[in-house]
Structure formats: structure tokens, C-alpha cells
Amino acid sequence: MRTAPTPSREETRANATFEALIWSMSRPGRLRDLPERGEAQIIEALIDRECHVFCADPLLMPKVLETGARIAALAGADHVFLGALTDLDGLKSLSTGSDLYPDGGASVVIRARLGEGPRLRLTGPGIETEECVHIGGVPDGFWSLRRDLIQYPIGFDVFFIDGAQVLGLPRSTKVEML
Amino acid sequence: MSVTPQSLKTLSRAWEPMSYGFLDASAKREIRRKMIKAVAVPGCQMPYASREVPMARGWGTGGLQVSLTLIHPNMRIKVIDQGADDSVNAASIRHFLARVSGAPTTLDTLQADLIQSRHRIPEEKLNEAQILVLQVPNPEPLRPVQPNMSIARQMHADADYGRMWLQLYEQIVRSGRVMQGASYPSMVNGRHVMTPSPIPRWDVPKLNMAQHLTILSAGREKRIFAVPPYTRVEPLVFDDVPYKVEEHHDLTCSRSGAKGFFMNEIPQEDGSSAYELSDSGFGVKHIQQSTGDAVTFGKTWYENGEMAE
């Protein structure tokens, strides 16, 4: 008799985390639960020695170092963990890829407060008509900076996380402040 | 900053006879990163490493790697090859997926969580929770007009698709109609032209503003691209030459009696043709219904041979 393989705990968590991430990236503006709270599971699911990581949160750094990823300056990082975003200085140098290789644009994880703060209207791929969300805890000016940095398909993609909730915001989404 | 002290024990993992889902963790992480980018830029081809799997490149290894990354023991999988669940390619991929993951399998589109497909999209509508993985032999729609892939990449960067239109125009001038039968080049999100993999023209409108996520992966060519839900997918057409799907609206399946869906043509000895549903799972349901079994049909994309609004 053949036994069915069983996934390890790490595999199950990484798989479920990724399922939540890809789901939220393909449905911008809609909240989805991650298996656990915080960024550690995202690091486990995505990051390894092939990545250049910028991590602004010192508490998260050991987790990043454990993966063997190279620590990079913001400008050279393909994965960016900003923690709670307090100021926008330097964010201009975020890597956004090129027209030739849009995949060079960074994946950014930001801690935010979902469900409060300014009301935003999202339109674009993954959204049938429009999606209205509240994203709080990011500095004023983030949205205009995002608009300036993204010249589709050049741009960066954001996961906002709040506890165990995640909200994806790919570069293809148009954001309007209401 | 405190770093936990590392030892061999913390750095290594418990012994496993095989990675779950065959692919090792680093291969999965790489595909995950690329899938996120592919969804963020719909229709844009993202390069990836394409690891070895126990199957020859060109036989669905791209789709297989995506499925192996997404799979978990509670994900019900369906695998189809040109619509059929029972062809060699589909049966062996399904067998492999189930064997390395312990995931349940199904032939019913409605019950599947993940559908890996070669060259067809099922006739029944996919819902928001389902993921469609298409195997792609040639991911580059520009290859017939520009064999140099570096130049083709530049053309994608510039959204320089003039030659695609020229190709269609030449077909119309020469033959009176567009001769592109499968892999009909389509504009995704108004920016990137992609090949929808060699699905028939019949299936391309199913991708437009669909509820499900579609991931297209070419293992031999090492490219991955995606169509997120609710994304515009428009076949390239001229204003005065509308897009035409195959004229299968008045064909009847000789085995199940179903009418108005995409059919396989089966040549007969007397020179005529018989037809049967290309979507075999859907055909089986029709036959079961006619023998009195209880079956559930999903809403179909086409109704009476016309794309339903």
C-alpha cells in the first residue's frame, strides 16, 4: 500500500500563507486572513538565499537573516519589509523594475490599520467594478508617492497586513482618495 | 539586535523521504515570488527557473510546477488534456499530483479547486474560489513576427504590437479570414499582448472578466504569466472584422446529445463526420443524466452556442 505524503508544519503554513497572498494580490481591496499574525510567515513562504531584502523592523531582522537572504539597501531590495511606515523619506528609491523586466519591482510589506483611516476607491484588474477600502496607519503622501513611482508596468506591489489580515495592492490597481 | 544562536539542529530540518508535493522548498518559493509578480502585471511574461520534474519538458511541466506549488491535501484537483480527463497526459499528471500530495481528484469541474489544463477551458463556469492552470508550449505571442526574444521583450516593453495587427491583416488579405485557430493573441488589461495558450478561439472570451484566477506557465520556455479575476482579455481584432469563435453552435454530440458546445470532429468511414463534446467531464454528466442519474450542472459560459452575457 502506498502512503499518502503529509506536509510538514512549515510546508502547510507556507502553502496557506501563499494561498492568502496570491488570493489577495489577485483581488485587490478585499481582506483575507493569513494563517497567523505578522510578517514572519510571509518571510518563510517567500524569502530565501536568492532574495535581496530590506527590513526596517529590527525585530523582524533575525527571521530574515535565518533565511540566508542578502540584506540590501532599499534601492537594491526585491523584498521590502517596512514594518509600520512612519515616514516616506527614502521610499522614493524603492526598486520598481523596468519596462523590460517589470518583475524587478519590489514586493513591499507594510503594517497598516485596515478598516480605518482614509477611504480609498480601487479600480483595476481583480476588481469587478470598484472596491472601497479604508487603509490607516500610513503617512499622508504615501498615495501620491505611489502614484508618482508607478508608471505601469513599472512599479511595486504592496501587501498591507494588520494582525492576521492581509490586503493586496498590485501596481495595476488605480487608487483614488475619496 | 539579538540573533538566536545557530546550531546544526536549528539550521536543518527533520528528515523527510521526499519533499511534500515533489518540489523542494526553494523551488516553491521561487515560483511563489514569480506568481505574485505575474498577477501584479497581468499578461506580462515573468521568467522563472523551471526546475526538473519527472516528466519531459513540453509535456506540461510548467503547469505541473504551478500545481505542485499550490497543492495541499485538501485541494481537489482536476486535470484535462484538450478537454478530456482520460487522455494519457491528463491521466498521468493527475496520478502524479495525487501521489506526491495526497490530494483528492475529481473529473467534475464544479468540485475542483484546482484545474490544470492543456489547451481547453471547461464549459462550465469557474467560480471565484477556483484556480485554472494552463500549460503553455510557446508563451511568446510575438514569436511568429519576431523570432529574436530579446527584441520581442523590447517590443513588449514598448507595447509595440503593430506587427501582430499586420499579421492578422495579411491573413485576412490572403485567406479572407483570420487563420489563427488556437493561441489567439489577446490584449490583457489593455497593456500586454499574451498568448492564451493554444486554447481554441471558442475559449478565449471565457478569460475576459472571469471570476477565477488563471495562471499560465511554460516549463520549457521558463515563463509564467497570469490573468487575475475580473481582468479584460480582448482578442486582437479589427473594428470591421469581428472576432469569430468556431461555428459549433449547431453541432450535436453523438454520444451525449448535448448541443451548442465545443466539439471534437470524428471522421467517419463514409466521409462524413460525427461530433462529440470536447469537454469529456461535461459529456459524461450529460450521459449520466440521460440514464437517470442525479447530476448537477453548473452555469455554462455558452448558452445555445452563444457566449452568455
Side-chain angles (χ1 to χ4, degrees), chain A residues 2-8 10-12 14-19 21-28 30 43-51 58-59 61-62 65-67 78-79 98-108 124-129 152-159 169-173, chain B residues 1-4 6 11 13 16 18-21 23 25-37 39-42 44-47 51 68-73 75 95 98-102 127-131 150 153-158 188-189 191-192 209 211-213 215 228-231:
Chain A
R2 217 176 261 141
T3 51
T6 46
S8 64
E10 294 86 10
E11 163 68 27
T12 303
N15 182 286
T17 304
F18 176 67
E19 195 175 319
L21 293 179
I22 198 79
W23 190 96
S24 57
M25 194 45 88
S26 38
R27 290 166 185 87
R30 284 166 64 180
I43 294 173
E44 269 176 35
L46 299 181
I47 307 297
D48 58 24
R49 296 169 62 90
E50 294 167 17
C51 301
L59 294 176
M61 203 47 137
L65 290 171
E66 228 173 76
T67 64
D78 43 43
H79 289 78
S98 61
D99 280 317
L100 278 177
Y101 291 97
D103 48 325
S107 300
V108 183
I127 303 167
E128 191 170 11
T129 50
Y152 189 83
I154 289 176
F156 61 96
D157 313 302
V158 185
F159 292 106
L169 195 67
R171 65 191 79 175
S172 56
T173 304
Chain B
M1 190 192 316
S2 74
V3 179
T4 36
Q6 305 221 311
L11 286 167
R13 297 188 192 285
E16 283 182 300
M18 180 195 81
S19 294
Y20 178 79
L23 288 182
S26 84
K28 285 181 179 175
R29 280 191 293 263
E30 198 237 354
I31 294 175
R32 286 180 194 136
R33 295 194 294 264
K34 288 300 178 178
M35 276 164 77
I36 288 173
K37 291 298 152 200
V39 166
V41 189
C44 180
Q45 300 162 50
M46 304 299 183
R51 312 294 165 113
L68 289 172
T69 304
L70 290 168
I71 211 160
H72 57 78
M75 183 176 249
H95 178 71
R99 196 170 149 186
V100 297
S101 70
N127 65 33
E128 282 211 337
Q130 291 173 305
I131 300 177
S150 303
R153 182 162 282 277
Q154 185 67 54
M155 288 166 74
H156 281 293
D158 297 339
V188 185
N189 188 29
R191 174 60 180 83
H192 284 98
M209 296 303 274
Q211 290 182 18
H212 67 274
L213 166 66
I215 294 167
Y230 306 116
T231 301

Side-chain angles (χ1 to χ4, degrees), chain B residues 42 78 89 138 203 217 260 274 287 295:
Chain B
K78 172 181 164 81
N89 192 224
N138 170 18
D203 284 348
S217 179
I287 293 168
V295 284

Side-chain angles (χ1 to χ4, degrees), chain B residues 222-297:
Chain B
K222 306 180 177 176
R223 314 272 183 92
I224 196 165
F225 49 112
V227 179
Y230 306 116
T231 301
R232 282 177 295 134
V233 177
E234 296 145 326
L236 297 184
V237 280
F238 296 101
D239 287 349
D240 51 349
V241 185
Y243 182 72
K244 266 193 192 153
V245 301
E246 289 79 358
E247 291 178 349
H248 289 191
H249 56 274
D250 53 359
L251 300 180
T252 306
C253 174
S254 59
R255 295 172 70 184
S256 69
K259 197 178 164 187
F261 298 100
F262 192 79
M263 301 284 172
N264 294 336
E265 184 174 356
I266 301 161
Q268 302 295 301
E269 275 188 32
D270 62 357
S272 67
S273 293
Y275 295 91
E276 67 172 29
L277 274 181
S278 163
D279 184 341
S280 73
F282 191 55
V284 166
K285 277 192 191 179
H286 278 277
I287 293 168
Q288 284 172 340
Q289 191 188 36
S290 63
T291 58
D293 293 350
V295 284
T296 324
F297 286 97

Side-chain angles (χ1 to χ4, degrees), chain B residues 79-154:
Chain B
V79 185
I80 46 179
D81 172 8
Q82 301 269 24
D85 295 281
D86 49 4
S87 83
V88 174
N89 192 224
S92 51
I93 291 177
R94 179 172 50 244
H95 178 71
F96 179 72
L97 283 173
R99 196 170 149 186
V100 297
S101 70
T105 61
T106 181
L107 307 185
D108 186 352
T109 303
L110 300 180
Q111 286 173 17
D113 300 312
L114 178 85
I115 300 176
Q116 180 175 335
S117 168
R118 173 177 176 267
H119 310 353
R120 268 319 301 283
I121 299 175
E123 297 289 1
E124 286 161 298
K125 273 194 177 180
L126 303 183
N127 65 33
E128 282 211 337
Q130 291 173 305
I131 300 177
L132 176 68
V133 177
L134 286 169
Q135 302 168 197
V136 184
N138 170 18
E140 182 55 83
L142 295 172
R143 194 155 297 165
V145 298
Q146 178 50 265
N148 183 324
M149 65 163 123
S150 303
I151 299 176
R153 182 162 282 277
Q154 185 67 54

